């Protein structure tokens, strides 16, 4: 009995040491891969976001339709990228204490929550455009959008712990992230029903409105929601941190969330006033290429059929071929 106990005890120690060795190896690889991935993604995202912001601001200055919420959404994404880059830098405690890194983490969560509510505002704006077009045209203005955007920047304070340097606890942060998702789903369903009854909108305009909402819903579902759910699970079930598989899945979805700013920049294509012309030109190019390919295939088929017919005629009339050869001689 004592021998079995000693064997089981040694087996448990070996399993624990093997788990710690794999975890340490994963941490070393993560320390190398995470900063490299963030810097590569940031080098791509920052120029794209700056160009998108300049283009959107130019639309507003030219008195054309542009979504103010998309501008603030990209601004919040830009703040997130700056916070991620600052966290990757190895600061010394003398130059940059741990308290400052804690504030950077809080600033990242603050801008993340604000960006999610701006996504909800984009979805709600598309819903009003379809379901209540008269009210939207009479009440929609640049001043109203700016006032709503300023209010949205203060919404994360509702879920922050002010007494603890504006920190965001796991439960409150998860609740703050789930509320915009419900708003986006309701707006998507309502907009889809409203588009079926909208007579004044063309089919291309319907596709643009529904496409922008679908992009917001797709981005939230696959890039943001998994990380929020896993963070909540890991906080409520600390034993999950002992599974190396769940740890890898958690960091995979965290890295996937870093691609969110690129997806948000795609909203600019749906908010362009000439987005319909762009889609029409793409369709015309596709139709032209298809027509050319079909014409080319018909020409080749006709040439092949004529050659086959000529061969059949030459085979059926050998005397005429011999007469032609004699006359040429």
């Amino acid at each position: 009995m004592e021998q079995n106990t000693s064997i089981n005890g040694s087996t448990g120690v070996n399993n624990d040491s093997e788990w710690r060795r794999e975890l340490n190896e994963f941490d070393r690889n993560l320390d190398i891969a995470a900063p490299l991935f963030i810097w590569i993604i940031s080098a791509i995202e920052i120029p794209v976001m700056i160009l998108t912001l300049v283009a959107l601001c130019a639309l507003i200055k030219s008195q054309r339709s542009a979504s103010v919420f998309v501008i603030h959404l990209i601004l919040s994404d830009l703040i997130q990228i700056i916070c991620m880059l600052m966290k990757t830098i190895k600061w010394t405690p003398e130059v940059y204490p741990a308290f400052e890194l804690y504030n950077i983490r809080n600033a990242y969560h603050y801008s993340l929550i604000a960006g999610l509510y701006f996504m909800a505002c984009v979805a709600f704006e598309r819903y009003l455009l379809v379901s209540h077009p008269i009210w939207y045209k009479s009440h929609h203005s640049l001043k109203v959008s700016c006032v709503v955007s300023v209010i949205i920047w203060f919404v994360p304070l509702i879920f922050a712990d002010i007494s603890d340097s504006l920190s965001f606890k796991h439960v409150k942060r998860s609740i703050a992230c789930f509320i915009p998702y419900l708003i986006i789903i309701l707006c998507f369903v309502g907009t889809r029903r409203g588009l079926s009854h909208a007579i004044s909108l063309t089919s291309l305009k319907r596709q643009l409105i529904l496409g922008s909402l679908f992009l917001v819903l797709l981005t939230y579902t696959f890039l943001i929601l998994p990380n929020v759910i896993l963070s909540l699970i890991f906080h409520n079930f600390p034993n999950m941190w002992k599974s190396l598989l769940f740890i890898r899945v958690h960091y995979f979805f965290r890295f996937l969330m870093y691609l969110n700013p690129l997806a948000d920049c795609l909203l600019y294509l749906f908010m362009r006033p000439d987005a319909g012309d762009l889609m029409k030109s793409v369709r015309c190019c596709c139709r032209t290429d298809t027509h050319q390919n079909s014409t080319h295939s018909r020409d080749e088929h006709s040439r092949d059929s004529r050659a086959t017919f000529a061969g059949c005629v030459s085979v059926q009339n050998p005397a005429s071929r011999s007469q032609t050869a004699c006359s040429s001689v």
Side-chain angles (χ1 to χ4, degrees):
M1 188 73 179
E2 293 178 356
Q3 185 178 1
N4 293 332
T5 305
S6 61
I7 291 175
N8 293 331
S10 61
T11 304
V13 171
N14 292 332
N15 292 333
D16 186 67
S17 61
E18 181 68 19
W19 175 80
R20 291 185 180 278
R21 185 185 65 80
E22 293 179 356
L23 183 61
N24 292 331
E25 184 179 359
F26 176 76
D27 289 337
R28 287 193 298 268
N29 295 331
L30 186 65
D31 291 338
I32 299 174
L36 183 62
F37 179 80
I38 291 174
W39 279 94
I40 292 175
I41 292 298
S42 300
I44 300 172
E45 290 178 342
I46 290 177
V48 173
M49 294 169 65
I50 292 175
L51 290 176
T52 306
L53 285 175
V54 172
L56 285 170
C57 293
L59 289 179
I60 292 180
K61 289 182 179 180
S62 61
Q63 302 298 323
R64 291 189 289 181
S65 60
S67 179
V68 178
F69 301 128
V70 178
I71 296 177
H72 288 270
L73 173 62
I74 297 176
L75 283 175
S76 65
D77 292 334
L78 191 60
I79 296 174
Q80 295 174 38
I81 294 176
I82 294 174
C83 292
M84 289 189 303
L85 291 175
M86 294 183 69
K87 286 194 297 184
T88 58
I89 301 175
K90 300 296 182 181
W91 301 95
T92 58
E94 293 80 9
V95 178
Y96 211 78
F99 179 75
E100 299 295 336
L101 293 175
Y102 182 73
N103 290 334
I104 291 176
R105 190 180 299 109
N106 292 334
Y108 174 79
H109 292 150
Y110 188 98
S111 58
L112 175 64
I113 295 173
L116 298 181
Y117 280 90
F118 281 119
M119 293 175 68
C121 288
V122 172
F124 189 68
E125 186 182 37
R126 301 290 96 182
Y127 168 74
L128 291 178
L129 180 62
V130 173
S131 301
H132 307 282
I134 300 176
W135 186 90
Y136 177 77
K137 291 180 180 179
S138 60
H139 291 81
H140 174 70
S141 63
L142 183 63
K143 184 182 295 185
V144 173
S145 299
C146 292
V147 172
V148 174
S149 299
V150 172
I151 295 174
I152 294 299
W153 280 109
F154 287 96
V155 168
L157 294 177
I158 301 174
F159 306 96
D161 190 0
I162 302 177
S163 61
D164 192 13
S165 302
L166 293 179
S167 63
F168 293 91
K169 305 301 181 182
H170 290 276
V171 177
K172 289 184 177 181
R173 189 171 71 225
S174 301
I175 294 174
C177 294
F178 275 118
I179 293 176
Y181 187 66
L182 298 176
I183 297 174
I184 292 171
I185 292 177
L186 293 176
C187 292
F188 181 79
V189 174
T191 304
R192 191 172 182 180
R193 290 180 179 177
L195 285 174
S196 61
H197 302 288
I199 303 175
S200 60
L201 295 176
T202 61
S203 60
L204 184 60
K205 190 67 175 179
R206 295 176 184 177
Q207 291 178 5
L208 290 174
I209 294 174
L210 196 62
S212 61
L213 277 179
F214 182 74
L215 179 62
V216 172
L217 185 61
L218 197 69
T219 301
Y220 207 117
T221 303
F222 293 99
L223 299 183
I224 297 174
L225 194 62
N227 184 66
V228 175
I229 295 175
L230 288 176
S231 298
L232 187 62
I233 290 175
F234 280 128
H235 177 71
N236 293 325
F237 302 96
N239 293 328
M240 299 294 292
W241 287 105
K242 295 182 180 180
S243 176
L244 191 59
L245 176 62
F246 282 98
I247 295 175
R248 290 175 178 174
V249 171
H250 174 67
Y251 279 102
F252 170 77
F253 283 110
R254 177 177 292 183
F255 290 158
L256 201 63
M257 191 174 63
Y258 295 156
L259 300 175
N260 180 43
L262 280 179
D264 292 338
C265 290
L266 292 178
L267 283 174
Y268 164 69
L269 297 178
F270 293 94
M271 302 301 171
R272 285 177 60 94
D274 57 345
D277 299 334
L278 291 175
M279 292 189 67
K280 287 181 180 179
S281 63
V282 171
R283 287 182 176 181
C284 291
C285 292
C286 294
R287 290 177 181 176
T288 303
D289 293 339
T290 305
H291 179 70
Q292 290 177 355
N293 291 332
S294 61
T295 305
H296 182 67
S297 62
R298 286 198 302 268
D299 293 339
E300 288 183 350
H301 181 70
S302 61
R303 286 197 300 268
D304 293 338
S305 61
R306 287 197 298 269
T308 305
F309 178 75
C312 293
V313 171
S314 63
V315 170
Q316 292 176 359
N317 300 321
S320 62
R321 188 172 60 250
S322 61
Q323 291 175 1
T324 305
C326 293
S327 63
S328 63
V329 173

